[in-house]
Amino acid sequence: MAQERIDKVLSNMGFGSRKEIKEKIKKKVVTVKGEVVTDPGMKVDPESDEIVIEGEEVIYRKFIYLMMNKPQGVVSATFDNHDQTVIDLLPFDYKAFDPAPVGRLDKDTVGLLLITNDGELNHKLLSPKNHVDKIYYAYLKEDAKDEDIRAFEKGIVLGDGYKCMPAGLTISEEDRKEVHVTLREGKFHQVKRMFHARNNEVTYLQRISFGPLRLDENLEEGDFRELTEEELLALTNEKN
Ligand code: URA
């Protein structure tokens, strides 16, 4: 791995701002391969050099992979002038990795959002040729009809003329306003526009799965956790 400045490495790993790291270096509490660091610009290889800060060994990792249960009212972006973003909900230690959401959920949509700084995986999961299945739970204004199931299977034509790929629709037997939709693509406002094209409206939308990932029921809205090794493996196997 390329050599990087020690202050940058430690800051990116969440040990403090560049200024705070410089202070710690002044206090002689940072060592590299057993030697006290005196120069914040010292070049290190974070993957192979043993780095210790305040007695704690730095376990270097390049990428983070988080599952968030996105709440309503925040936008799926890294920065926004008006609204809070999903990245704003993360503590500094994670923000330091510069992560980004994989795709978007609308501001009022809740549920599973993957967040990572692994740009290559992000790109591949979103690539149209990968067709990662996403499952949504939706609550509708009107009862869903059996004809809707067939229309979804055939491919809904949206208001702008775009013909969607075949999608799955299941309707709850207890309440026909409760449905699950499986999409293999991710156009802007797609679920809402598909029901709009069927003269119905979505009043609540939650994503419950993304490829092999299922929304963790223990995550409250606004909470997140790191993916487990099994989840990450399943996700990386998903891409071509
Ligand atoms: N479809 C929508 O309409 N909105 C979302 O947030 C996701 C899928």
Side-chain angles (χ1 to χ4, degrees):
M1 149 133 208
Q3 301 259 310
E4 281 189 63
R5 288 175 62 107
I6 182 77
D7 59 349
K8 185 162 175 247
V9 169
L10 289 173
S11 175
N12 286 350
M13 294 288 296
F15 286 95
S17 64
R18 290 280 272 274
K19 198 165 154 232
E20 286 163 348
I21 301 295
K22 283 193 177 107
E23 289 300 315
K24 288 185 186 181
I25 288 173
K26 255 195 210 154
K27 288 189 195 148
K28 302 197 180 347
V29 294
V30 179
T31 61
V32 172
K33 293 187 276 187
E35 300 284 323
V36 172
V37 177
T38 51
D39 173 11
M42 177 187 176
K43 291 284 171 69
V44 294
D45 179 343
E47 276 184 13
S48 62
D49 292 346
E50 185 206 48
I51 304 171
V52 175
I53 179 163
E54 292 173 322
E56 185 187 340
E57 186 175 349
V58 175
I59 310 297
Y60 183 76
R61 58 181 180 156
K62 200 168 170 191
F63 297 128
I64 55 162
Y65 303 90
L66 307 175
M67 172 192 295
M68 179 179 278
N69 185 356
K70 178 193 168 296
Q72 285 197 344
V74 297
V75 293
S76 308
T78 49
F79 173 80
D80 193 275
N81 272 326
H82 303 287
D83 292 308
Q84 198 177 31
T85 72
V86 289
I87 304 301
D88 292 333
L89 300 180
L90 300 177
F92 174 77
D93 297 17
Y94 286 102
K95 275 190 199 142
F97 282 87
D98 259 335
V102 178
R104 278 161 192 265
L105 291 177
D106 295 338
K107 189 172 163 184
D108 60 350
T109 300
V110 299
L112 201 171
L113 186 66
L114 180 64
I115 297 176
T116 182
N117 59 340
D118 182 343
E120 198 180 325
L121 182 67
N122 190 332
H123 184 75
K124 283 185 174 148
L125 290 170
L126 292 183
S127 158
K129 67 173 194 287
N130 266 318
H131 301 314
V132 175
D133 277 3
K134 294 129 198 138
I135 305 179
Y136 294 87
Y137 165 85
Y139 201 79
L140 305 174
K141 194 161 168 220
E142 311 291 342
D143 284 358
K145 304 186 189 77
D146 289 338
E147 299 91 278
D148 294 333
I149 299 176
R150 288 186 284 278
F152 271 50
E153 268 167 11
K154 265 179 69 186
I156 297 279
V157 178
L158 299 179
D160 61 4
Y162 173 77
K163 185 167 191 279
C164 297
M165 290 173 67
L169 175 65
T170 55
I171 306 170
S172 160
E173 282 175 16
E174 286 93 55
D175 180 352
R176 296 189 65 93
K177 293 187 176 71
E178 260 193 17
V179 296
H180 284 89
V181 179
T182 306
L183 294 188
R184 313 198 71 200
E185 55 186 341
K187 301 287 169 204
F188 186 61
H189 294 333
Q190 187 163 351
V191 176
K192 292 173 187 163
R193 287 160 74 208
M194 285 167 83
F195 281 105
H196 190 73
R198 300 293 301 164
N199 299 315
N200 205 336
E201 300 300 331
V202 171
T203 60
Y204 174 84
L205 190 60
Q206 177 193 38
R207 183 154 69 190
I208 56 174
S209 82
F210 181 89
L213 304 181
R214 299 282 303 177
L215 178 62
D216 185 335
E217 286 173 6
N218 296 318
L219 284 181
E220 300 281 334
E221 281 180 20
D223 281 354
F224 72 93
R225 67 157 171 80
E226 296 206 17
L227 295 191
T228 63
E229 270 179 41
E230 293 76 37
E231 285 172 332
L232 183 57
L233 194 66
L235 199 63
T236 46
N237 285 339
E238 182 84 8
K239 63 184 175 130
N240 292 324

